[in-house]
Amino acid sequence: MNGFAWSSLLLLLATWPAALAVGEEPAEQPAPQPSAVAKGLELVLLDEGRMFRLEILMEMDGQPSDVLWNKAFDRLLAFIDRDGSGRLEESEAARLPSAFGMRQVLGAGFAPMIGRAPDWKALDANGDGGVDREELADFYRRSGSGAAMVGVGRLPATDKLTDVLLQRLDLNEDQRVVESEWRAAAETLLKLDGNDDELVGAGELAPKTLYPGASGAATLGSPSLPDAPSSSQPAALPPLVVLPARKADVDWATAIVALRDGDADGALSKTEAGLPADAFARLDADQDGQLKDGELAVWRELPPDARWLFRFGERNGRPAFEDLTVGAERQAGRLAAVCGRLKVEARTDEGKLTEASAAARRHFAADFTATDSNRDGFVDRDESRQPNQGGFALLLDHAGLNGDGKLGERELESWLDLQQEIARCQALVTVLDCGQGLFELLGAVDDGALSIRELRGAWAQVSAAQCLKDGKLDRTALPRLLLFSVSHGYPVELLGPAQRGGPSWFLAMDRNGDGDVSQREFTGQTAAFDKLDQDRDGLISQQEAEQGK
């Protein structure tokens, strides 16, 4: 596969709408209609045998993120357009935030005045001497703004936790774990429960181990030739390609063709492409049995393999999500897709950006008051240069509306409103590559710990995963897990609180948050517990609680 070795897993597509059956004429199908900008973030998961496209949609207080970005670009243009012409001249464009500064809003809550202003030629794409809203938005989208950002990381303790689990479960120390030892996992490992919460955490298995112990510190952008993804990339990079917000940018397709073109003929065969037959037929415009990069680029106009929606904002309370994939099986409390040996799980987190944006506003308002030494409602250059007065010199040029070298309270408020509008759009998708870990297979990725139910199910999990060979665990056959955490700004907690359901009494009694109420957690009478515990396993599940209420 042209040196492509990101993963040896088979990635199955979650679902595809009804389209052409093999052998039918593709000409009978309507041609995909191009659109200029993606509505959400689109990702391609890659494997030697399959490609899988995921669309992540986001809403803030009921408004789609692409709509919010358009409003933010409108407001940015109106703020910078001092003469009200509806277009920016070169002198006005010098006040625009740098592409780097726009991306820093994700953490800072505002666009800091750092980096160079956008290059005029890059802004004025048609060379007519002015920049309209479309050109302005187009520039920032090409620079990585206008859609959610993606940060990637890799869990550092995966192998160590697998080693410890195998060692602990191997009761007779014969270098393998047999069925009886798997089935005894709860009794064996709960002896390590040092804090007596009926969970076995990573730190209890391997002291001083923090879970997940990683963050999405590395930003993953869209391929841009010639520095597109290649076989020389670090092995730690997840098998993932971020598609650009602008659909006119098709370098991603060229990069994928180069990665998967095993026979180096400049195109992908059906086997190399790893797409369903009906999708391949629709994309193969010239019917030569090969997909060139231009044909693959049209893939974005077909429905994605999976579509997930994440909702944020005060209107929603805590963040929520919904699986919009056609025909998808709904799973309570999580979004998940099992595709061959690749398992993808997604959760959502409140994020830090709402508070960061509010804190930035308070900070600038307080600094303005401190810097306005003569209390005339303006900060001039002399005042901005005073020591320890907030450093307003840059703001005079960027936030001042009339170019008089002073910044008034109303001008500052207008600039802060703009920053808040930009911050409202910002979202982050943190992708943690958990690798092929036994700890994760047994269910610990939900909260960084193994519950009683998860430990009892250890044998069923390893059997279903078909990762046992001659009575030994074949670590290379373990599923590979990618954990997605979607948040407004940087996440508060990467694992975050799981979305749990059930009656209020059930949620109150489930003190360790594992989704079950044990006999120890139950505060009622024994007879009441026994009545609710219909399968007599010593745990009341959400389903049992709902049936018994």
Side-chain angles (χ1 to χ4, degrees), residues 223 243 249-258 268 292-294 296-298:
L243 302 189
D249 297 335
V250 296
D251 284 350
W252 66 270
T254 304
I256 288 178
V257 169
L268 300 182
K292 293 169 278 295
D293 52 2
L296 180 60
V298 183

Side-chain angles (χ1 to χ4, degrees), residues 16 60 79 91 93 130 135 151 157 205 228-230 241 270-271 281-282 287 311 379 412 468 545:
W16 272 80
M60 176 65 71
F79 183 87
S91 59
E135 288 176 306
L205 277 171
S230 69
V241 171
K270 292 180 180 179
T271 301
R282 291 193 67 185
Q287 295 298 290
R311 296 187 176 96
V379 171
L412 178 63
L468 296 176

Side-chain angles (χ1 to χ4, degrees), residues 4 9-14 16 43-54 239 241 252-253 255-257 259-260 268-276 279-280 283 291 296 299 305 339 342:
F4 176 46
L9 308 175
L10 175 63
L11 182 58
L12 299 177
L13 295 175
W16 272 80
L43 306 169
V44 174
L45 299 172
L46 296 172
D47 182 74
E48 289 184 356
R50 193 62 92 172
M51 287 197 296
F52 178 92
R53 197 169 110 249
L54 169 65
V241 171
W252 66 270
I256 288 178
V257 169
L259 283 169
R260 301 176 72 86
L268 300 182
S269 66
K270 292 180 180 179
T271 301
E272 291 170 334
L275 294 172
F280 189 95
L283 297 177
L291 289 187
L296 180 60
W299 187 24
D305 303 299
C339 308
L342 181 67

Side-chain angles (χ1 to χ4, degrees), residues 31 64 121 148 151 182 247 277 303 372 405 470 512 538:
K121 291 183 178 179
W182 286 111
K247 292 193 175 181
D372 180 19
D470 299 328
N512 65 6

Side-chain angles (χ1 to χ4, degrees), residues 474-488:
D474 180 3
R475 297 167 73 141
T476 65
L478 284 168
R480 182 177 184 178
L481 176 68
L482 295 182
L483 177 64
F484 288 12
S485 179
V486 183
S487 54
H488 183 220

Side-chain angles (χ1 to χ4, degrees), residues 351-367:
K352 302 177 181 179
L353 189 48
T354 298
E355 175 54 34
S357 178
R361 191 172 195 117
R362 293 192 299 268
H363 168 79
F364 280 107
D367 270 8

Side-chain angles (χ1 to χ4, degrees), residues 151-236:
V152 298
R154 187 174 178 86
L155 270 63
T158 299
D159 292 336
K160 179 170 69 172
L161 289 171
T162 298
D163 290 339
V164 174
L165 280 169
L166 292 175
Q167 180 184 0
R168 291 285 186 177
L169 293 171
D170 182 15
L171 298 178
N172 61 5
E173 300 181 357
D174 64 351
Q175 305 303 309
R176 64 178 187 152
V177 181
V178 297
E179 180 179 349
S180 60
E181 292 169 323
W182 286 111
R183 292 189 181 278
E187 181 182 351
T188 301
L189 295 178
L190 281 171
K191 295 175 182 177
L192 304 175
D193 179 18
N195 60 2
D196 202 28
D197 63 352
E198 297 185 298
L199 297 171
V200 180
E204 291 170 323
L205 277 171
K208 299 182 180 180
T209 297
L210 298 177
Y211 197 87
S215 63
T219 302
L220 187 62
S222 304
S224 178
L225 300 181
D227 58 335
S230 69
S231 59
S232 62
Q233 283 189 302

